[in-house]
């Protein structure tokens, strides 16, 4: 068999294949192509392929590249979306003997393209295919949900669509995806208008589409996120109300009891001092009987703000203990410092503005403190000491500070 006869047999075999075959030289110019190449690649005649660069011919008929990857044998696999809506898979062999062979195959995806396109059209979910961080496919719903045309997203880094504050969490989620079949996360996506929309997304690895391809399905949750934020704010507000005195606006007895127990344990653990001021308005019943409860309430509001102004550090806590009694909890404050602060507070109350006609009011303050090294320091014991000191101040003539 002569070389020419063998060449003819090989060409006839390639012509009989149900796939397109293109042979190119070292510079990428087409030197031969079978008859299926023209129908699959969309070039009017195989003779028109000869002498032209394959990549230039493909660029003329391709709308976008959906996939581009190389395997360990050097074969490059591309999935192209042609301008006529067809999808063609190309497999470019490695360079051998100064030339390369490209196979062009119709894909099953092409056969079902119209069905899948309709499904995507009517889906409310955004679907992105991402490879090496770059978007290689975007569903038509991106226009309806985010305002972007699919073609505007293809080729962009997926990170460009994420809110900068959400980006670290999204990148971490995609990293964790390597060890999980799928992963759910939330992200604020950048709309074409520049605004951001909350999306709930599910990412899955889709190696059957292409090596390293991640498919992300996401849907807008703006309405649900708004409800969740409102619920969270309402829950937080309820939690605040549960520990706030409704009349004076400062902490209530419940908040004080909780904080006192925490600070007692902290004082013992770190051997730090802890002091407590307990004060009571002098002759408050007479004030109520004379001027009425509304005036009495105004006095308590002013007093609460005055007491709170002396709890200047973050850990200090001013609270309404009950009725006309208030407390000021002072972590890491020794007895001498607490006594001086109590005397300053007692003087400030006498200068405190009060409703017209009341004149001035005074308070009796009891001070108790612990050095923090007592074996069984309990909060109620510190309160008992402060309460005893406060009643001692009452017995001594009121309007003064007493320490026991």
């Amino acid at each position: 068999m002569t070389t020419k006869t063998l060449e003819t047999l090989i060409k006839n075999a390639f012509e009989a294949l149900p796939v397109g075959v293109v042979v190119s030289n070292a510079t990428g110019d087409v030197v031969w192509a079978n008859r299926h190449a023209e129908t699959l690649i969309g070039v009017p005649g195989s003779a028109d392929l000869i002498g032209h660069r394959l990549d230039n011919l493909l660029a003329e008929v391709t709308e976008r590249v959906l996939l581009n990857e190389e395997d360990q044998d050097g074969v490059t696999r591309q999935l192209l979306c042609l301008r006529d809506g067809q999808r063609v898979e190309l497999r470019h062999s490695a360079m051998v003997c100064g030339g390369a062979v490209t196979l062009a195959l119709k894909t099953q995806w092409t056969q079902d393209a119209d069905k899948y396109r309709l499904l995507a059209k009517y889906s409310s979910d955004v679907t992105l295919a991402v490879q090496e961080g770059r978007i290689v496919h975007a569903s038509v719903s991106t226009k309806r949900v985010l305002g972007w045309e699919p073609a505007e997203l293809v080729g962009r880094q997926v990170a460009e669509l994420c809110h900068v504050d959400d980006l670290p969490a999204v990148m971490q989620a995609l990293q964790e995806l390597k060890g999980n079949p799928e992963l759910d996360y939330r992200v604020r996506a950048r709309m074409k208008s520049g605004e951001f929309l909350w999306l709930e997304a599910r990412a899955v690895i889709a190696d059957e589409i292409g090596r390293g391809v991640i498919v992300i399905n996401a849907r807008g949750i703006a309405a649900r996120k708004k409800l969740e934020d409102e619920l969270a704010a309402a829950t937080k507000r309820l939690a605040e109300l549960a520990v706030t005195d409704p009349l004076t606006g400062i902490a209530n007895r419940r908040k004080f009891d909780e904080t006192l127990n925490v600070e007692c344990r902290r004082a013992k653990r770190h051997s730090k001092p802890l002091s407590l001021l307990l004060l009571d308005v002098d002759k408050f019943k007479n004030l109520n009987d004379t001027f009425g409860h509304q005036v009495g309430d105004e006095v308590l509001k002013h007093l609460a703000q005055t007491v709170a102004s002396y709890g200047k550090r973050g850990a200090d806590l001013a609270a309404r203990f009950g009725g006309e009694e208030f407390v000021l909890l002072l972590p890491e404050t020794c007895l001498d410092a607490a006594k001086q602060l109590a005397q300053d507070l007692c003087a400030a109350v006498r200068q405190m503005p009060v409703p017209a006609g009341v004149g001035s009011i005074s308070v009796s303050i009891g001070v108790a403190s612990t050095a923090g090294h007592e074996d069984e320091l309990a909060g109620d014991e510190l309160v008992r000491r402060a309460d005893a000191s406060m009643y001692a101040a009452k017995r001594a003539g009121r309007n003064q500070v007493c320490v026991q």
Side-chain angles (χ1 to χ4, degrees):
M1 182 180 295
T2 65
T3 302
K4 187 171 183 60
T5 301
L6 181 59
E7 181 181 339
T8 301
L9 287 174
I10 293 175
K11 286 184 177 181
N12 289 338
F14 280 157
E15 286 289 359
L17 290 175
V19 299
V21 180
V22 179
V23 179
S24 54
N25 60 22
T27 61
D29 295 329
V30 176
V31 296
W32 185 84
N34 71 352
R35 59 188 178 84
H36 284 289
E38 61 180 271
T39 57
L40 291 180
I41 299 179
V43 176
S46 59
D48 293 329
L49 297 173
I50 309 302
H52 295 278
R53 288 185 59 85
L54 179 60
D55 53 359
N56 290 338
L57 293 170
L58 292 173
E60 293 177 4
V61 297
T62 300
E63 178 179 311
R64 63 181 183 276
V65 178
L66 302 178
L67 186 66
N68 190 354
E69 63 178 8
E70 181 178 337
D71 64 19
Q72 58 186 7
D73 297 322
V75 176
T76 300
R77 178 171 174 255
Q78 288 184 311
L79 186 60
L80 307 181
C81 178
L82 304 184
R83 297 188 190 279
D84 62 1
Q86 298 296 304
R87 284 176 169 80
V88 173
E89 180 182 348
L90 301 181
R91 296 183 184 178
H92 308 278
S93 72
M95 192 68 64
V96 178
C97 300
V101 176
T102 296
L103 299 181
L105 307 89
K106 276 189 177 180
T107 65
Q108 183 64 34
W109 196 357
T110 302
Q111 297 174 18
D112 294 334
D114 289 340
K115 295 180 183 178
Y116 292 145
R117 196 176 293 113
L118 285 173
L119 287 173
K121 177 180 179 181
Y122 294 111
S123 173
S124 60
D125 290 359
V126 170
T127 301
L128 301 176
V130 179
Q131 189 175 39
E132 297 181 354
R134 194 174 297 277
I135 299 171
V136 296
H137 171 76
S139 64
V140 295
S141 56
T142 56
K143 171 67 174 177
R144 182 171 60 257
V145 178
L146 298 175
W148 298 99
E149 293 288 352
E152 294 178 300
L153 296 180
V154 173
R156 300 181 65 169
Q157 291 287 336
V158 70
E160 296 178 37
L161 297 182
C162 299
H163 191 286
V164 63
D165 293 341
D166 300 337
L167 191 55
V170 172
M171 293 298 101
Q172 181 179 349
L174 295 181
Q175 278 293 114
E176 294 175 355
L177 185 61
K178 295 179 181 178
N180 297 279
E182 59 186 36
L183 203 65
D184 296 334
Y185 61 93
R186 288 184 173 186
V187 62
R188 282 166 289 184
R190 184 188 303 276
M191 304 175 69
K192 190 172 183 179
S193 64
E195 298 176 306
F196 287 90
L197 177 69
W198 274 104
L199 297 180
E200 187 173 63
R202 169 166 293 180
V204 298
I205 294 178
D207 285 328
E208 64 272 23
I209 296 178
R211 186 172 57 188
V213 171
I214 297 173
V215 174
I216 301 172
N217 289 298
R219 63 180 53 185
I221 56 168
R224 190 204 317 172
K225 190 67 173 61
K226 181 181 179 182
L227 288 175
E228 289 175 352
D229 290 345
E230 291 175 350
L231 179 59
T235 301
K236 180 181 179 182
R237 179 58 180 157
L238 286 174
E240 293 172 349
L241 290 174
V243 293
T244 302
D245 178 61
L247 175 64
T248 63
I250 64 173
N252 61 10
R253 175 68 178 269
R254 176 181 177 181
K255 176 65 174 179
F256 168 72
D257 289 342
E258 292 174 353
T259 306
L260 177 62
N261 290 330
V262 170
E263 293 299 339
C264 282
R265 291 194 296 270
R266 194 196 314 274
K268 181 180 179 181
R269 183 166 60 250
H270 299 291
S271 296
K272 297 289 186 179
L274 176 64
S275 296
L276 175 66
L277 275 58
L278 195 156
L279 58 122
D280 180 84
V281 180
D282 295 329
K283 299 182 179 179
F284 187 72
K285 184 178 183 305
N286 292 342
L287 187 149
N288 268 341
D289 291 343
T290 303
F291 298 99
H293 289 282
Q294 288 185 327
V295 172
D297 287 347
E298 288 300 313
V299 169
L300 294 180
K301 291 177 184 178
H302 286 295
L303 179 59
Q305 297 309 308
T306 301
V307 175
S309 68
Y310 279 79
K312 299 178 180 179
R313 301 171 306 171
D316 296 344
L317 178 71
R320 186 180 182 189
F321 194 66
E324 66 272 21
E325 292 183 328
F326 292 82
V327 288
L328 184 58
L329 188 62
L330 304 168
E332 298 189 25
T333 303
C334 66
L335 180 60
D336 289 342
K339 181 178 180 181
Q340 181 60 56
L341 189 147
Q343 289 172 341
D344 293 343
L345 176 57
C346 193
V349 171
R350 291 193 294 268
Q351 303 300 319
M352 185 182 72
V354 293
V358 174
S360 64
I361 65 169
S362 64
V363 292
S364 298
I365 305 178
V367 182
S369 184
T370 174
H373 56 261
E374 299 179 39
D375 292 336
E376 294 295 335
L377 175 65
D380 56 357
E381 173 60 20
L382 195 64
V383 172
R384 188 195 66 77
R385 296 180 194 174
D387 189 58
S389 297
M390 185 268 291
Y391 277 105
K394 292 279 191 185
R395 291 193 296 271
R398 301 184 180 89
N399 190 23
Q400 58 187 283
V401 176
C402 185
V403 178
Q404 281 193 341

